[in-house]
Amino acid sequence: MTYDELKTLSELPLLLLVERAHAVHCRCRSFGKVQVCTLVSLKTGNCSEDCAYCAQSARHHTGVVADKALMPKEQVINRAMEAKAAGATRFCMGAAWRGVRLGDPRFDEVLDIVRAVRALGLEVCATLGMLGEAEAEALREAGLSAYNHNLDTSREYYPSIVTSHTYEDRLETIGHINRAGIKLCCGGIIGLGESVQDRLRLLETVSSLDPQPESFPINALITIPGTPMSRRRPDAPDALETVRMVALARLALPHSHVRLSAGRERLSPEGQALCFYAGADSLFLGERLLTAPNAAPEKDLELLRRLGLQAELPDEPTSAPGTPLYSDDEPHPCFNPGPCSAPPQ
Ligand code: SAM
Ligand code: DTB
Ligand code: SF4
């Protein structure tokens, strides 16, 4: 979707935008199914990078206690089994590194962990920073289902947030993931002081990726004391801005999971309900994200029950792959919403 198309949509009255996004959600996804992911921090803190929002950068004094080594495999397996028992189908593992290299014993450990978690019947996602072709290949061979590498914001605003690597670096890693045939999880943050234009530019970029990301996490900034963002104090996005971003993401990425990620605990149940209606269909379940607290898991499961949303199964196809996105005969579905394909309850 082009910037101009996104801009036109973003200027619609919110409820009309939500209605369009809901129609596309019904047409291109299994409406009513929600992907439940759980996050664990494999290696916390002491990261060389200077991302202005991040609790884990060695350049900020955030009070995060840095790990010297990776979490031992047995502990990760226990956490994965707990996550599975709690209802998660995707297990996401983060390491606070600039990147990974084949031949590094810590990368071999990660590959071993990926194989072991996959053997539990869970989808496995990792976020380890930048990587090359060989590393992506090794992760695919180990059975990695998805790799998270966010673009965070627009190309133009990125240097105001990160200077230790570039937008181009991020796109290069994304290319390696896509070419290795690993599902790409690539999203952003709202609430960094960016403009509406920056949000639309981010959506334009992710929508132009080939293939488009399998999931698009929407993070609302969690202000971490000691980070540059905590000193800049940008306005926090409210629930309706989050709903607007969700709806636009659904329209820009009709077949992707749209994940309510960091900052979800600040949304009321009603705010989350509107996000799910507008196209969100994924969340993190668990008391913690990487370093920050998350919404309470019992409350989340209760909310899903009350909204009549069902957890997806691992590797369950939830997109209607045959649906043409762009063709001469049929305009993009957001300009021509078809009938709802929600499964009967
Ligand atoms: N080091 C890896 C990388 O940079 O890709 C992975 C970890 S990083 C924590 C993953 C993503 O979490 C970031 O790209 C950002 O979108 C999100 N994130 C990190 N800290 C956040 C915060 N304080 N508030 C909101 N989102 C945050
Ligand atoms: C993503 O987009 N959000 C998650 C996951 N991918 C790795 C991370 C959120 C981190 C929130 C801040 C923290 O826990 O430190
Ligand atoms: Fe490091 Fe990732 Fe945090 Fe940036 S976002 S400081 S790369 S852990």
Side-chain angles (χ1 to χ4, degrees), residues 53 95 97 127 149-150 152 170 189 219-222 224 262 290:
Y53 50 77
W97 289 326
T127 179
H149 204 64
N150 291 345
D152 281 342
R170 299 298 280 184
I189 313 189
N219 297 280
L221 178 72
I222 300 178
I224 310 280
L290 291 173

Side-chain angles (χ1 to χ4, degrees), residues 56-322:
Q56 305 194 66
S57 166
R59 310 189 196 201
H60 320 321
H61 300 286
T62 62
V64 160
V65 180
D67 290 330
K68 294 233 157 34
L70 273 189
M71 183 182 279
K73 181 169 144 191
E74 293 64 37
Q75 204 175 324
V76 183
I77 301 301
N78 283 337
R79 297 283 287 270
M81 289 195 300
E82 281 166 20
K84 188 175 175 181
T89 54
R90 178 174 286 189
F91 191 66
C92 310
M93 306 181 291
W97 289 326
R98 174 178 163 83
V100 287
R101 281 229 171 272
L102 208 60
D104 181 332
R106 294 177 310 172
F107 186 52
D108 289 337
E109 270 186 75
V110 173
L111 294 174
D112 209 26
I113 289 172
V114 168
R115 282 186 281 266
V117 176
R118 189 73 184 131
L120 297 174
L122 285 160
E123 291 180 34
V124 194
C125 178
T127 179
L128 315 167
M130 291 187 261
L131 47 73
E133 192 182 330
E135 291 77 17
E137 211 45 52
L139 284 165
R140 190 185 50 74
E141 276 169 21
L144 191 78
S145 317
Y147 195 85
N148 166 249
H149 204 64
N150 291 345
L151 285 169
D152 281 342
T153 187
S154 68
R155 183 191 290 275
E156 295 73 17
Y157 196 55
Y158 199 70
S160 312
I161 303 299
V162 182
T163 66
S164 53
H165 56 257
T166 63
Y167 212 67
E168 221 32 66
D169 290 331
R170 299 298 280 184
L171 286 167
E172 219 171 274
T173 292
I174 285 167
H176 293 308
I177 298 301
N178 268 346
R179 282 190 292 277
I182 297 172
K183 290 174 186 167
L184 173 68
C185 169
C186 178
I189 313 189
I190 56 174
L192 295 171
E194 76 286 353
S195 62
V196 171
Q197 254 189 352
D198 291 311
R199 292 180 193 169
L200 301 181
R201 288 274 178 227
L202 167 67
L203 288 169
E204 182 192 30
T205 305
V206 286
S207 127
S208 75
L209 295 172
D210 186 16
Q212 289 191 335
E214 178 266 347
S215 47
F216 181 79
I218 299 178
N219 297 280
L221 178 72
I222 300 178
T223 305
I224 310 280
T227 57
M229 286 318 301
S230 73
R231 293 186 286 279
R232 293 188 213 168
R233 300 167 65 89
D235 289 339
D238 67 11
L240 297 184
E241 273 181 87
T242 306
V243 171
R244 190 176 283 280
M245 187 66 183
V246 167
L248 289 168
R250 171 52 62 222
L251 295 173
L253 304 167
H255 293 286
S256 308
H257 283 105
V258 173
R259 185 172 308 120
L260 290 179
S261 303
R264 185 171 57 82
E265 77 281 14
R266 290 200 303 269
L267 293 174
S268 67
E270 297 81 2
Q272 292 186 58
L274 196 49
C275 287
F276 289 123
Y277 187 77
D281 60 357
S282 177
L283 50 71
F284 284 119
L285 180 77
E287 278 161 18
R288 290 218 140 253
L289 294 165
L290 291 173
T291 69
N294 192 23
E298 325 74 61
K299 286 199 181 159
D300 282 346
L301 293 173
E302 173 67 4
L303 179 63
L304 295 184
R305 194 190 61 72
R306 288 181 72 190
L307 297 180
L309 298 172
Q310 289 168 356
E312 263 177 49
L313 304 174
D315 301 304
E316 183 178 358
T318 48
S319 112

